[in-house]
Amino acid sequence: MNDRNLIKVYLYTRFERLWHWFQALMIFILLITGFEVHGTYTLLGFKTAVTVHNFVGLSWLILFAFFVFWLLTTGEWKQYIPTTKKLFDVVLYYAYGIFKGQSHPVQKSKGAKHNPLQRIAYLGISAMLLPVQMATGLLYYLYNVVPGGLDLSILAVVHTLVAFLLVNFLIIHLYMTTTGHSLFSHISGMITGWEEIYETTKIQEWENKATKKN
Amino acid sequence: MGNKTAGLFLALITGLALVMGQATVAPAANQPRTKDEALGIKLAKLAKQAVKANKHWTTTDHSKIKALDQDFTSGSQITQACLSCHTDASMQFEKTIHWTWKVESEKPGIMNGKAGHAVNNFCISGNAMEDKGCLGCHVGWNGIKEEVNCLNCHGGEKFNYKEAFSDIQAFMEDDDPETQEIVKELQGEIKNAVKNITMPQRNHCGECHFKGGGGDGVKHGDLDTSLAKPNKMLDVHMAAEGADFTCARCHTTVRHNIAGRLYTRPASAERKSLIQDDMATKITCESCHGTLPHKTESKMNDHVDKVACQSCHIPEYARVNPTKMWWDWTKAGDLRDGKPYVVKGEFGKPTYKSIKGEFKWEKNVKPEYFWYNGSFSNTGIKDKIDPAQIVKVSQPMGSRLDPDSRIHPFKVHRGKQPYDKINKQLVAPMLSGPNGFWTTFDMKDAITRGNKALDVPFSGEFDYVETTYAFPITHMVAPAEKAMACKECHIRDNSRLAKITGIYLPGRDKNNFIDGIGIIAVLGAFGGVALHGLGRFFTRNGKED
């Protein structure tokens, strides 16, 4: 390990970082207020929780559309193409190799910011969980306006289940940030945009499809 | 993406978020939806200005009316004087429930109303107006026996005509000039009282409606003498510093038929402004406030399809005077030294009366809530009951599936009252008068006499059954800032709507299965990352140093 040098690469643009943290903040606020509306605890008071939840939820709905637009126009969507290649290696690394001091089987690069496990996880979140949460949330909000809408109990149950899954994701996601070469290297990367990667890392041929010319 | 582009993009989404936020807080839905609604609001404003500008509605000064300038010797003469101008007034009035105390029910052959087959769990029945104790509120000069007493509702001052006339009758024969002077004085007093004519004021209606059931606040809980001069906290509509409405401002009248009765009739089909049309048979809050009454909280407006305005805007009733919540007739008739007695309890109200039984009073009472479509189901004296159950003498009708039903607040008066053990029917004991229960303390005899007055057979065997009687809570509307907090209902435990089931109420309801899976998953994730982290800690990430 020590024979390889760390180099810094600019991996996340200012917009991506801002988007990431803004989204993180919104998810955090939505979870806090959402579970209060659900009746799990009392923090802001029901009325305030509902008002904040509705405001942030609806704002996010609009912002998410822009995010999707941005992904499509910049081609960044290719970062989320799922693959099984090396997926097992990555799983094995986190299950075993990490305790043995092995190096990560897939290093980050400008063209491939996410490893196969991240690709699947993030695609699942952004293409499945978030849209379901947004759809059920919107129908919940428009319950009185949309005629023949789904029963509130169904909407509420699905919305709650996905919320729990998002909490799940958040816990694992936060933990995974500590698995970089130092405890906070991934987090600082998401703040500054610069990730430290090993110099020897090469972009694999199979990853190249999503690679922009450097 | 260049920095410049990204900056522009950010500015754009921030702007949109703000616009969206505005939309969240104040959607376009707050604007009147239809032309009619817009017109209603406009007319309501105009009407308010009109009332403010001129308090005098009448075009007649009754003190100048010749017909009233005479020496009256009986109530009947006064009524005739009124009718000399208002030719059809008593004819109209005698057709109304205020005179007949009867109203048709949905069941064939059964009349509701106090003079009909309706019973309650207070003084139980009016016994077809035979029970003289109930006649105090009848709008005739002498119960039902003489003509309509117009001054009961239109008299500008409280005056004891009955006493004055009997005094005049007694003194008339006397030739003594001093006695004649007294008669002249009395005549003058009567004349002044008769000439002092007014639109019905709160006290006119209150004389009977505040004291329903035999005393102040006994019956309704949202109607008692505190409403004669309420402050704004008690009733925002009636308070002098509020809208200063009299009862008749909302309970509008057409040919002496007074609108706003909440009893047996179906829900009002139209929700139109009272200003647009005073013929509305039922008064709803929407009559004036429209169907989107909240200015800023769009989510509040979402409630109006399922929740009655009263549910949030009358958090508690009997806020000044206590109201009766329990009346147990089984305890009635206990005597001390052969004489009836009274025990007074909290609030200075009787908790026991030999003539009536045991009472419980409460103040600042939280209502009970039911689905309500504007109609009641009543158990009258001709209806069969199941004595094994608590008998619902009066119960709101409606269900969550009925689009006209709303969750509405009610006072539920509970008690025990007699029933016919063989015929399985409620009974109507005669209470007042020389042979009534209040004199004889013989319940069986009282039931026999009371049922006879209603022409309903009595087997001779009676027992007591527990009953409930629900009253819609609709007066004592608190100012908006005193409306109920969301969490009174949207809370896991002790929700005010705990008994309203079959709907999903956010904050109150959850799916135990989903919540269970969710919590296990979250705990699992925590456990997983904790173990993984510990593993890395103890293996020092596989590094030797």
Side-chain angles (χ1 to χ4, degrees):
Chain A
M1 274 188 78
N2 295 333
D3 56 333
R4 287 181 294 170
N5 294 322
L6 283 167
I7 56 157
K8 282 193 161 191
V9 286
Y10 189 67
L11 217 52
Y12 310 112
T13 64
R14 188 190 293 172
F15 171 76
E16 284 173 292
R17 282 175 280 141
L18 215 127
W19 170 254
H20 172 269
W21 289 113
F22 198 44
Q23 182 161 252
L25 181 72
M26 286 193 290
I27 292 185
F28 183 73
I29 295 171
L30 285 168
L31 284 173
I32 293 287
T33 53
F35 277 104
E36 174 157 14
V37 173
H38 184 57
T40 311
Y41 46 75
T42 306
L43 200 69
L44 304 170
F46 187 87
K47 192 175 172 180
T48 314
V50 169
T51 310
V52 173
H53 195 80
N54 288 347
F55 175 79
V56 176
L58 287 166
S59 304
W60 190 18
L61 201 65
I62 302 288
L63 294 176
F64 196 75
F66 280 98
F67 180 59
V68 172
F69 172 75
W70 169 78
L71 272 179
L72 292 175
T73 50
T74 57
E76 284 294 303
W77 60 276
K78 290 173 184 167
Q79 305 275 0
Y80 296 89
I81 297 172
T83 174
T84 52
K85 205 154 194 175
K86 291 243 180 175
L87 176 63
F88 188 66
D89 290 354
V90 174
V91 173
L92 209 64
Y93 166 76
Y94 283 119
Y96 176 77
I98 193 168
F99 304 117
K100 289 284 166 192
Q102 292 171 2
S103 54
H104 199 290
V106 185
Q107 285 291 331
K108 290 176 190 302
S109 75
K110 233 182 166 102
K113 295 167 186 169
H114 306 140
N115 68 50
L117 195 62
Q118 284 176 306
R119 283 173 184 242
I120 286 181
Y122 295 166
L123 184 69
I125 297 287
S126 6
M128 294 280 293
L129 291 190
L130 297 186
V132 167
Q133 201 64 342
M134 288 173 181
T136 52
L138 188 66
L139 285 172
Y140 202 138
Y141 179 77
L142 297 176
Y143 184 66
N144 291 69
V145 185
V146 180
L150 280 170
D151 196 82
L152 200 58
S153 62
I154 296 169
L155 289 174
V157 159
V158 175
H159 203 67
T160 310
L161 180 67
V162 176
F164 273 119
L165 294 179
L166 287 171
V167 175
N168 238 16
F169 167 76
L170 205 64
I171 294 164
I172 295 166
H173 186 66
L174 281 171
Y175 172 73
M176 295 301 268
T177 62
T178 68
T179 60
H181 68 85
S182 78
L183 220 50
F184 298 107
S185 63
H186 283 329
I187 289 180
S188 74
M190 196 39 99
I191 293 169
T192 62
W194 292 88
E195 272 268 11
E196 285 181 320
I197 59 171
Y198 291 107
E199 198 179 15
T200 50
T201 307
K202 274 186 189 145
I203 302 161
Q204 303 292 311
E205 188 56 34
W206 57 270
E207 289 179 291
N208 246 330
K209 284 174 193 161
T211 307
K212 288 191 285 184
K213 297 290 170 237
N214 294 326
Chain B
M1 186 179 259
N3 282 345
K4 217 174 183 179
T5 328
L8 270 171
F9 192 71
L10 271 171
L12 185 65
I13 54 174
T14 317
L16 256 151
L18 285 171
V19 171
M20 198 60 211
Q22 287 294 316
T24 322
V25 176
N30 281 324
Q31 299 305 315
R33 271 181 184 162
T34 62
K35 263 186 184 173
D36 282 354
E37 210 164 320
L39 180 70
I41 289 167
K42 200 178 162 190
L43 288 172
K45 276 181 189 159
L46 287 174
K48 211 172 182 181
Q49 286 164 4
V51 176
K52 271 192 180 152
N54 186 1
K55 294 254 179 204
H56 303 285
W57 287 73
T58 175
T59 51
T60 304
D61 181 352
H62 284 82
S63 70
K64 294 175 183 163
I65 298 292
K66 282 238 162 61
L68 300 179
D69 199 20
Q70 52 173 298
D71 291 339
F72 296 106
T73 51
S74 73
S76 176
Q77 284 175 10
I78 298 175
T79 301
Q80 290 310 318
C82 300
L83 294 178
S84 67
C85 292
H86 305 275
T87 52
D88 294 350
S90 75
M91 192 183 72
Q92 288 172 356
F93 189 80
E94 281 168 15
K95 287 178 187 162
T96 72
I97 191 167
H98 271 108
W99 181 264
T100 62
W101 289 9
K102 266 186 197 173
V103 65
E104 274 184 46
S105 80
E106 277 123 21
K107 299 170 207 160
I110 290 181
M111 291 297 279
N112 275 328
K114 287 181 186 69
H117 296 108
V119 288
N120 58 43
N121 57 5
F122 293 86
C123 283
I124 305 180
S125 170
N127 305 109
M129 297 198 201
E130 284 300 309
D131 212 323
K132 298 292 174 276
C134 300
L135 282 177
C137 273
H138 197 262
V139 206
W141 278 108
N142 180 19
I144 53 172
K145 298 242 161 62
E146 282 175 47
E147 282 158 283
V148 176
N149 180 354
C150 310
L151 300 167
N152 234 2
C153 302
H154 296 284
E157 62 187 80
K158 212 175 171 178
F159 188 84
N160 196 337
Y161 294 96
K162 213 172 176 178
E163 199 181 272
F165 287 137
S166 66
D167 285 352
I168 288 173
Q169 218 69 45
F171 297 151
M172 280 250 268
E173 312 297 313
D174 200 334
D175 287 338
D176 182 7
E178 260 179 51
T179 315
Q180 284 309 309
E181 199 56 41
I182 294 173
V183 169
K184 218 173 189 178
E185 227 168 79
L186 275 171
Q187 295 284 14
E189 280 174 27
I190 292 170
K191 210 181 286 179
N192 283 339
V194 168
K195 285 178 173 181
N196 190 355
I197 296 299
T198 171
M199 290 288 281
Q201 303 298 308
R202 286 176 207 145
N203 284 327
H204 291 110
C205 311
E207 193 55 45
C208 294
H209 292 280
F210 292 164
K211 299 169 185 172
D216 188 13
V218 168
K219 246 185 188 173
H220 297 280
D222 65 333
L223 273 180
D224 60 42
T225 54
S226 66
L227 282 181
K229 272 189 178 173
N231 64 20
K232 209 172 172 179
M233 287 301 132
L234 182 63
D235 194 303
V236 73
H237 295 116
M238 292 173 74
E241 74 270 32
D244 202 13
F245 286 170
T246 61
C247 309
R249 183 70 198 90
C250 297
H251 295 272
T252 51
T253 305
V254 176
R255 288 190 278 276
H256 282 100
N257 267 301
I258 296 170
R261 193 173 138 74
L262 289 169
Y263 197 52
T264 65
R265 289 254 199 83
S268 119
E270 297 170 281
R271 297 183 181 277
K272 56 185 170 184
S273 165
L274 283 174
I275 311 298
Q276 278 174 283
D277 182 358
D278 274 358
M279 304 266 283
T281 51
K282 277 195 182 179
I283 293 151
T284 60
C285 306
E286 292 98 321
S287 299
C288 293
H289 293 280
T291 48
L292 298 166
H294 302 101
K295 281 196 188 103
T296 52
E297 295 287 341
S298 63
K299 212 61 210 166
M300 300 286 188
N301 279 339
D302 277 356
H303 284 71
V304 300
D305 63 334
K306 296 289 175 202
V307 184
C309 309
Q310 292 93 327
S311 290
C312 298
H313 289 277
I314 312 174
E316 288 173 352
Y317 60 86
R319 296 207 290 274
V320 175
N321 297 335
T323 187
K324 202 174 273 187
M325 300 301 290
W326 169 258
W327 182 328
D328 183 354
W329 276 101
T330 65
K331 307 275 171 68
D334 187 36
L335 303 176
R336 276 183 194 160
D337 307 321
K339 280 181 185 165
Y341 65 97
V342 175
V343 181
K344 285 207 176 172
E346 207 190 344
F347 315 119
K349 295 285 187 181
T351 52
Y352 182 78
K353 269 185 171 179
S354 297
I355 60 166
K356 291 179 175 178
E358 187 188 80
F359 307 129
K360 276 177 198 156
W361 296 78
E362 276 179 47
K363 232 173 115 169
N364 297 316
V365 197
K366 287 181 185 177
E368 294 179 41
Y369 301 86
F370 300 101
W371 288 105
Y372 176 48
N373 63 12
S375 299
F376 276 86
S377 115
N378 298 294
T379 306
I381 196 150
K382 285 186 165 178
D383 294 308
K384 295 288 170 197
I385 62 160
D386 175 8
Q389 310 277 331
I390 294 175
V391 177
K392 291 167 180 171
V393 180
S394 180
Q395 182 72 7
M397 287 165 73
S399 84
R400 69 186 170 85
L401 301 170
D402 172 6
D404 282 338
S405 288
R406 305 274 186 287
I407 296 167
H408 197 284
F410 290 87
K411 170 189 169 178
V412 179
H413 181 257
R414 296 181 160 78
K416 287 181 180 175
Q417 66 191 92
Y419 76 101
D420 187 324
K421 271 173 87 173
I422 309 296
N423 293 331
K424 298 218 174 349
Q425 286 172 336
L426 294 172
V427 292
M430 182 76 73
L431 301 178
S432 63
N435 296 312
F437 178 79
W438 292 343
T439 314
T440 63
F441 294 99
D442 181 346
M443 184 55 87
K444 191 176 160 182
D445 182 62
I447 296 169
T448 311
R449 289 170 190 279
N451 271 28
K452 199 178 168 192
L454 288 167
D455 203 19
V456 176
F458 172 49
S459 72
E461 280 188 57
F462 74 97
D463 200 354
Y464 294 87
V465 63
E466 193 172 332
T467 57
T468 59
Y469 197 99
F471 295 92
I473 293 295
T474 193
H475 303 98
M476 294 187 182
V477 176
E481 63 269 22
K482 293 280 171 187
M484 216 147 76
C486 309
K487 68 172 168 47
E488 292 281 329
C489 301
H490 293 277
I491 194 164
R492 193 76 82 220
D493 301 312
N494 299 322
S495 163
R496 289 214 189 197
L497 298 185
K499 284 181 184 165
I500 302 285
T501 52
I503 54 161
Y504 188 89
L505 193 61
R508 181 194 71 170
D509 295 329
K510 65 183 171 113
N511 182 304
N512 288 331
F513 179 68
I514 295 294
D515 270 37
I517 293 181
I519 287 162
I520 287 168
V522 168
L523 290 177
F526 262 120
V529 299
L531 281 176
H532 199 271
L534 280 173
R536 280 169 59 210
F537 178 75
F538 285 118
T539 59
R540 301 188 57 71
N541 280 331
K543 292 170 196 166
E544 290 305 318
D545 48 334

